mmCIF file of all heavy atoms in Angstrom:
data_model
loop_
_atom_site.group_PDB
_atom_site.id
_atom_site.type_symbol
_atom_site.label_atom_id
_atom_site.label_comp_id
_atom_site.label_asym_id
_atom_site.label_seq_id
_atom_site.Cartn_x
_atom_site.Cartn_y
_atom_site.Cartn_z
ATOM 1 N N ALA B 228 -6.860 5.347 -2.171
ATOM 2 C CA ALA B 228 -7.357 4.479 -3.246
ATOM 3 C C ALA B 228 -7.621 5.281 -4.514
ATOM 4 O O ALA B 228 -7.317 4.820 -5.628
ATOM 5 C CB ALA B 228 -8.630 3.767 -2.789
ATOM 6 N N ALA B 229 -8.167 6.485 -4.364
ATOM 7 C CA ALA B 229 -8.437 7.325 -5.534
ATOM 8 C C ALA B 229 -7.158 7.674 -6.271
ATOM 9 O O ALA B 229 -7.123 7.699 -7.514
ATOM 10 C CB ALA B 229 -9.171 8.594 -5.101
ATOM 11 N N ALA B 230 -6.080 7.939 -5.530
ATOM 12 C CA ALA B 230 -4.795 8.242 -6.165
ATOM 13 C C ALA B 230 -4.258 7.036 -6.917
ATOM 14 O O ALA B 230 -3.710 7.161 -8.023
ATOM 15 C CB ALA B 230 -3.794 8.716 -5.114
ATOM 16 N N ILE B 231 -4.403 5.853 -6.339
ATOM 17 C CA ILE B 231 -3.914 4.624 -6.970
ATOM 18 C C ILE B 231 -4.641 4.364 -8.288
ATOM 19 O O ILE B 231 -4.011 4.140 -9.339
ATOM 20 C CB ILE B 231 -4.090 3.432 -6.015
ATOM 21 C CG1 ILE B 231 -3.158 3.572 -4.804
ATOM 22 C CG2 ILE B 231 -3.827 2.107 -6.742
ATOM 23 C CD1 ILE B 231 -3.462 2.604 -3.680
ATOM 24 N N VAL B 232 -5.958 4.403 -8.240
ATOM 25 C CA VAL B 232 -6.740 4.093 -9.440
ATOM 26 C C VAL B 232 -6.528 5.162 -10.503
ATOM 27 O O VAL B 232 -6.406 4.861 -11.697
ATOM 28 C CB VAL B 232 -8.229 3.933 -9.076
ATOM 29 C CG1 VAL B 232 -9.066 3.736 -10.333
ATOM 30 C CG2 VAL B 232 -8.417 2.735 -8.130
ATOM 31 N N HIS B 233 -6.446 6.417 -10.087
ATOM 32 C CA HIS B 233 -6.177 7.496 -11.048
ATOM 33 C C HIS B 233 -4.858 7.261 -11.772
ATOM 34 O O HIS B 233 -4.770 7.414 -13.002
ATOM 35 C CB HIS B 233 -6.131 8.835 -10.314
ATOM 36 C CG HIS B 233 -5.640 9.972 -11.142
ATOM 37 N ND1 HIS B 233 -6.364 10.524 -12.190
ATOM 38 C CD2 HIS B 233 -4.461 10.675 -11.099
ATOM 39 C CE1 HIS B 233 -5.661 11.508 -12.746
ATOM 40 N NE2 HIS B 233 -4.509 11.609 -12.107
ATOM 41 N N ALA B 234 -3.830 6.879 -11.037
ATOM 42 C CA ALA B 234 -2.506 6.706 -11.629
ATOM 43 C C ALA B 234 -2.507 5.656 -12.729
ATOM 44 O O ALA B 234 -1.868 5.843 -13.779
ATOM 45 C CB ALA B 234 -1.496 6.329 -10.546
ATOM 46 N N VAL B 235 -3.211 4.558 -12.531
ATOM 47 C CA VAL B 235 -3.159 3.475 -13.512
ATOM 48 C C VAL B 235 -4.187 3.637 -14.623
ATOM 49 O O VAL B 235 -4.111 2.917 -15.632
ATOM 50 C CB VAL B 235 -3.300 2.093 -12.838
ATOM 51 C CG1 VAL B 235 -2.197 1.892 -11.818
ATOM 52 C CG2 VAL B 235 -4.666 1.906 -12.206
ATOM 53 N N GLU B 236 -5.109 4.580 -14.467
ATOM 54 C CA GLU B 236 -6.078 4.837 -15.536
ATOM 55 C C GLU B 236 -5.683 6.014 -16.415
ATOM 56 O O GLU B 236 -6.394 6.347 -17.362
ATOM 57 C CB GLU B 236 -7.476 5.034 -14.940
ATOM 58 C CG GLU B 236 -8.053 3.734 -14.374
ATOM 59 C CD GLU B 236 -9.497 3.841 -13.953
ATOM 60 O OE1 GLU B 236 -9.971 4.979 -13.719
ATOM 61 O OE2 GLU B 236 -10.160 2.792 -13.850
ATOM 62 N N LEU B 237 -4.542 6.618 -16.138
ATOM 63 C CA LEU B 237 -4.005 7.636 -17.045
ATOM 64 C C LEU B 237 -3.553 6.987 -18.352
ATOM 65 O O LEU B 237 -3.341 5.767 -18.403
ATOM 66 C CB LEU B 237 -2.814 8.337 -16.382
ATOM 67 C CG LEU B 237 -3.152 9.310 -15.247
ATOM 68 C CD1 LEU B 237 -1.878 9.719 -14.517
ATOM 69 C CD2 LEU B 237 -3.870 10.547 -15.787
ATOM 70 N N PRO B 238 -3.389 7.761 -19.429
ATOM 71 C CA PRO B 238 -2.866 7.184 -20.671
ATOM 72 C C PRO B 238 -1.554 6.437 -20.414
ATOM 73 O O PRO B 238 -0.762 6.845 -19.548
ATOM 74 C CB PRO B 238 -2.641 8.420 -21.558
ATOM 75 C CG PRO B 238 -3.625 9.419 -21.052
ATOM 76 C CD PRO B 238 -3.699 9.195 -19.575
ATOM 77 N N PRO B 239 -1.309 5.346 -21.118
ATOM 78 C CA PRO B 239 -0.184 4.462 -20.787
ATOM 79 C C PRO B 239 1.195 5.082 -20.903
ATOM 80 O O PRO B 239 2.159 4.530 -20.365
ATOM 81 C CB PRO B 239 -0.352 3.293 -21.755
ATOM 82 C CG PRO B 239 -1.239 3.789 -22.840
ATOM 83 C CD PRO B 239 -2.130 4.796 -22.218
ATOM 84 N N HIS B 240 1.324 6.233 -21.595
ATOM 85 C CA HIS B 240 2.644 6.865 -21.683
ATOM 86 C C HIS B 240 2.916 7.785 -20.496
ATOM 87 O O HIS B 240 4.014 8.338 -20.384
ATOM 88 C CB HIS B 240 2.765 7.664 -22.989
ATOM 89 C CG HIS B 240 1.913 8.895 -23.028
ATOM 90 N ND1 HIS B 240 0.548 8.847 -23.194
ATOM 91 C CD2 HIS B 240 2.233 10.205 -22.909
ATOM 92 C CE1 HIS B 240 0.054 10.075 -23.178
ATOM 93 N NE2 HIS B 240 1.059 10.919 -23.009
ATOM 94 N N VAL B 241 1.931 7.941 -19.601
ATOM 95 C CA VAL B 241 2.065 8.845 -18.452
ATOM 96 C C VAL B 241 2.351 8.031 -17.202
ATOM 97 O O VAL B 241 1.566 7.154 -16.827
ATOM 98 C CB VAL B 241 0.779 9.673 -18.240
ATOM 99 C CG1 VAL B 241 0.936 10.587 -17.017
ATOM 100 C CG2 VAL B 241 0.449 10.485 -19.483
ATOM 101 N N ASN B 242 3.476 8.321 -16.538
ATOM 102 C CA ASN B 242 3.837 7.597 -15.321
ATOM 103 C C ASN B 242 3.944 8.578 -14.162
ATOM 104 O O ASN B 242 4.744 9.512 -14.211
ATOM 105 C CB ASN B 242 5.166 6.868 -15.491
ATOM 106 C CG ASN B 242 5.432 5.887 -14.356
ATOM 107 O OD1 ASN B 242 4.877 4.801 -14.344
ATOM 108 N ND2 ASN B 242 6.267 6.264 -13.400
ATOM 109 N N LEU B 243 3.167 8.365 -13.139
ATOM 110 C CA LEU B 243 3.301 9.144 -11.911
ATOM 111 C C LEU B 243 4.340 8.445 -11.039
ATOM 112 O O LEU B 243 4.018 7.564 -10.243
ATOM 113 C CB LEU B 243 1.957 9.255 -11.189
ATOM 114 C CG LEU B 243 0.825 9.933 -11.964
ATOM 115 C CD1 LEU B 243 -0.409 10.093 -11.081
ATOM 116 C CD2 LEU B 243 1.249 11.283 -12.522
ATOM 117 N N ASP B 244 5.578 8.821 -11.208
ATOM 118 C CA ASP B 244 6.670 8.137 -10.506
ATOM 119 C C ASP B 244 6.433 8.091 -9.000
ATOM 120 O O ASP B 244 6.510 7.025 -8.378
ATOM 121 C CB ASP B 244 8.000 8.852 -10.760
ATOM 122 C CG ASP B 244 8.574 8.557 -12.124
ATOM 123 O OD1 ASP B 244 7.824 8.076 -12.989
ATOM 124 O OD2 ASP B 244 9.774 8.810 -12.324
ATOM 125 N N GLN B 245 6.196 9.269 -8.415
ATOM 126 C CA GLN B 245 6.006 9.358 -6.970
ATOM 127 C C GLN B 245 4.867 10.321 -6.672
ATOM 128 O O GLN B 245 4.873 11.459 -7.147
ATOM 129 C CB GLN B 245 7.276 9.856 -6.278
ATOM 130 C CG GLN B 245 8.463 8.927 -6.415
ATOM 131 C CD GLN B 245 9.714 9.509 -5.769
ATOM 132 O OE1 GLN B 245 9.711 10.614 -5.251
ATOM 133 N NE2 GLN B 245 10.792 8.751 -5.808
ATOM 134 N N VAL B 246 3.916 9.859 -5.893
ATOM 135 C CA VAL B 246 2.774 10.690 -5.505
ATOM 136 C C VAL B 246 2.762 10.790 -3.982
ATOM 137 O O VAL B 246 2.517 9.800 -3.294
ATOM 138 C CB VAL B 246 1.445 10.101 -5.995
ATOM 139 C CG1 VAL B 246 0.277 10.984 -5.558
ATOM 140 C CG2 VAL B 246 1.453 9.931 -7.511
ATOM 141 N N THR B 247 3.064 11.973 -3.462
ATOM 142 C CA THR B 247 2.958 12.212 -2.028
ATOM 143 C C THR B 247 1.580 12.782 -1.742
ATOM 144 O O THR B 247 1.165 13.761 -2.364
ATOM 145 C CB THR B 247 4.037 13.203 -1.554
ATOM 146 O OG1 THR B 247 5.321 12.640 -1.804
ATOM 147 C CG2 THR B 247 3.896 13.495 -0.072
ATOM 148 N N ILE B 248 0.873 12.164 -0.819
ATOM 149 C CA ILE B 248 -0.487 12.593 -0.523
ATOM 150 C C ILE B 248 -0.648 12.735 0.987
ATOM 151 O O ILE B 248 -0.431 11.790 1.738
ATOM 152 C CB ILE B 248 -1.522 11.608 -1.127
ATOM 153 C CG1 ILE B 248 -2.941 11.980 -0.717
ATOM 154 C CG2 ILE B 248 -1.196 10.159 -0.812
ATOM 155 C CD1 ILE B 248 -4.005 11.195 -1.464
ATOM 156 N N ARG B 249 -0.975 13.970 1.407
ATOM 157 C CA ARG B 249 -1.154 14.282 2.819
ATOM 158 C C ARG B 249 -2.453 15.066 2.999
ATOM 159 O O ARG B 249 -2.921 15.712 2.056
ATOM 160 C CB ARG B 249 -0.013 15.165 3.340
ATOM 161 C CG ARG B 249 1.352 14.530 3.454
ATOM 162 C CD ARG B 249 2.272 15.501 4.191
ATOM 163 N NE ARG B 249 3.596 14.934 4.441
ATOM 164 C CZ ARG B 249 4.688 15.252 3.776
ATOM 165 N NH1 ARG B 249 4.622 16.135 2.794
ATOM 166 N NH2 ARG B 249 5.847 14.702 4.080
ATOM 167 N N PRO B 250 -3.003 15.080 4.205
ATOM 168 C CA PRO B 250 -4.099 16.011 4.471
ATOM 169 C C PRO B 250 -3.557 17.434 4.517
ATOM 170 O O PRO B 250 -2.373 17.652 4.802
ATOM 171 C CB PRO B 250 -4.610 15.569 5.844
ATOM 172 C CG PRO B 250 -3.434 14.932 6.505
ATOM 173 C CD PRO B 250 -2.659 14.274 5.389
ATOM 174 N N VAL B 251 -4.408 18.399 4.255
ATOM 175 C CA VAL B 251 -3.989 19.799 4.295
ATOM 176 C C VAL B 251 -3.426 20.155 5.668
ATOM 177 O O VAL B 251 -2.502 20.971 5.784
ATOM 178 C CB VAL B 251 -5.177 20.719 3.932
ATOM 179 C CG1 VAL B 251 -4.819 22.190 4.137
ATOM 180 C CG2 VAL B 251 -5.606 20.480 2.488
ATOM 181 N N ALA B 252 -3.942 19.541 6.714
ATOM 182 C CA ALA B 252 -3.497 19.843 8.080
ATOM 183 C C ALA B 252 -2.084 19.356 8.372
ATOM 184 O O ALA B 252 -1.493 19.752 9.376
ATOM 185 C CB ALA B 252 -4.465 19.220 9.094
ATOM 186 N N GLN B 253 -1.529 18.524 7.511
ATOM 187 C CA GLN B 253 -0.178 18.002 7.731
ATOM 188 C C GLN B 253 0.776 18.622 6.712
ATOM 189 O O GLN B 253 0.868 18.170 5.580
ATOM 190 C CB GLN B 253 -0.153 16.479 7.617
ATOM 191 C CG GLN B 253 1.201 15.870 7.967
ATOM 192 C CD GLN B 253 1.225 14.360 7.797
ATOM 193 O OE1 GLN B 253 0.556 13.806 6.930
ATOM 194 N NE2 GLN B 253 2.003 13.681 8.634
ATOM 195 N N SER B 254 1.496 19.631 7.128
ATOM 196 C CA SER B 254 2.430 20.305 6.230
ATOM 197 C C SER B 254 3.697 19.506 6.026
ATOM 198 O O SER B 254 4.357 19.616 4.994
ATOM 199 C CB SER B 254 2.787 21.691 6.776
ATOM 200 O OG SER B 254 1.629 22.485 6.909
ATOM 201 N N ALA B 255 4.072 18.722 7.020
ATOM 202 C CA ALA B 255 5.254 17.870 6.958
ATOM 203 C C ALA B 255 5.074 16.771 7.996
ATOM 204 O O ALA B 255 4.147 16.817 8.807
ATOM 205 C CB ALA B 255 6.524 18.670 7.227
ATOM 206 N N GLN B 256 5.994 15.833 7.960
ATOM 207 C CA GLN B 256 5.889 14.708 8.886
ATOM 208 C C GLN B 256 5.832 15.180 10.346
ATOM 209 O O GLN B 256 5.116 14.618 11.162
ATOM 210 C CB GLN B 256 7.093 13.773 8.686
ATOM 211 C CG GLN B 256 6.850 12.342 9.067
ATOM 212 C CD GLN B 256 5.990 11.644 8.027
ATOM 213 O OE1 GLN B 256 5.535 12.242 7.064
ATOM 214 N NE2 GLN B 256 5.759 10.359 8.224
ATOM 215 N N HIS B 257 6.572 16.237 10.634
ATOM 216 C CA HIS B 257 6.702 16.726 12.003
ATOM 217 C C HIS B 257 5.852 17.954 12.281
ATOM 218 O O HIS B 257 5.913 18.508 13.381
ATOM 219 C CB HIS B 257 8.172 17.091 12.270
ATOM 220 C CG HIS B 257 8.688 18.133 11.330
ATOM 221 N ND1 HIS B 257 9.053 17.840 10.036
ATOM 222 C CD2 HIS B 257 8.873 19.464 11.482
ATOM 223 C CE1 HIS B 257 9.451 18.946 9.439
ATOM 224 N NE2 HIS B 257 9.348 19.940 10.291
ATOM 225 N N LYS B 258 5.051 18.406 11.296
ATOM 226 C CA LYS B 258 4.268 19.631 11.484
ATOM 227 C C LYS B 258 2.808 19.381 11.115
ATOM 228 O O LYS B 258 2.455 19.322 9.930
ATOM 229 C CB LYS B 258 4.842 20.783 10.645
ATOM 230 C CG LYS B 258 4.218 22.147 10.976
ATOM 231 C CD LYS B 258 4.926 23.262 10.243
ATOM 232 C CE LYS B 258 4.346 24.629 10.578
ATOM 233 N NZ LYS B 258 4.517 24.992 12.005
ATOM 234 N N VAL B 259 1.991 19.207 12.141
ATOM 235 C CA VAL B 259 0.574 18.909 11.960
ATOM 236 C C VAL B 259 -0.244 19.966 12.696
ATOM 237 O O VAL B 259 -0.016 20.221 13.884
ATOM 238 C CB VAL B 259 0.219 17.512 12.506
ATOM 239 C CG1 VAL B 259 -1.259 17.231 12.344
ATOM 240 C CG2 VAL B 259 1.049 16.437 11.798
ATOM 241 N N ALA B 260 -1.162 20.601 11.988
ATOM 242 C CA ALA B 260 -2.044 21.586 12.615
ATOM 243 C C ALA B 260 -3.174 20.860 13.333
ATOM 244 O O ALA B 260 -3.873 20.038 12.729
ATOM 245 C CB ALA B 260 -2.616 22.516 11.550
ATOM 246 N N ARG B 261 -3.315 21.142 14.591
ATOM 247 C CA ARG B 261 -4.388 20.538 15.379
ATOM 248 C C ARG B 261 -5.373 21.644 15.761
ATOM 249 O O ARG B 261 -5.007 22.616 16.395
ATOM 250 C CB ARG B 261 -3.821 19.825 16.608
ATOM 251 C CG ARG B 261 -2.891 18.676 16.200
ATOM 252 C CD ARG B 261 -2.389 17.858 17.365
ATOM 253 N NE ARG B 261 -1.391 16.896 16.929
ATOM 254 C CZ ARG B 261 -1.661 15.659 16.490
ATOM 255 N NH1 ARG B 261 -2.931 15.258 16.439
ATOM 256 N NH2 ARG B 261 -0.703 14.838 16.097
#
Side-chain angles (χ1 to χ4, degrees):
I231 292 168
V232 175
H233 170 70
V235 301
E236 290 188 339
L237 287 169
H240 70 286
V241 179
N242 191 78
L243 300 185
D244 283 17
Q245 296 177 358
V246 179
T247 298
I248 175 170
R249 291 189 176 105
V251 173
Q253 185 182 32
S254 301
Q256 206 75 357
H257 59 282
K258 190 173 181 64
V259 179
R261 298 185 187 272

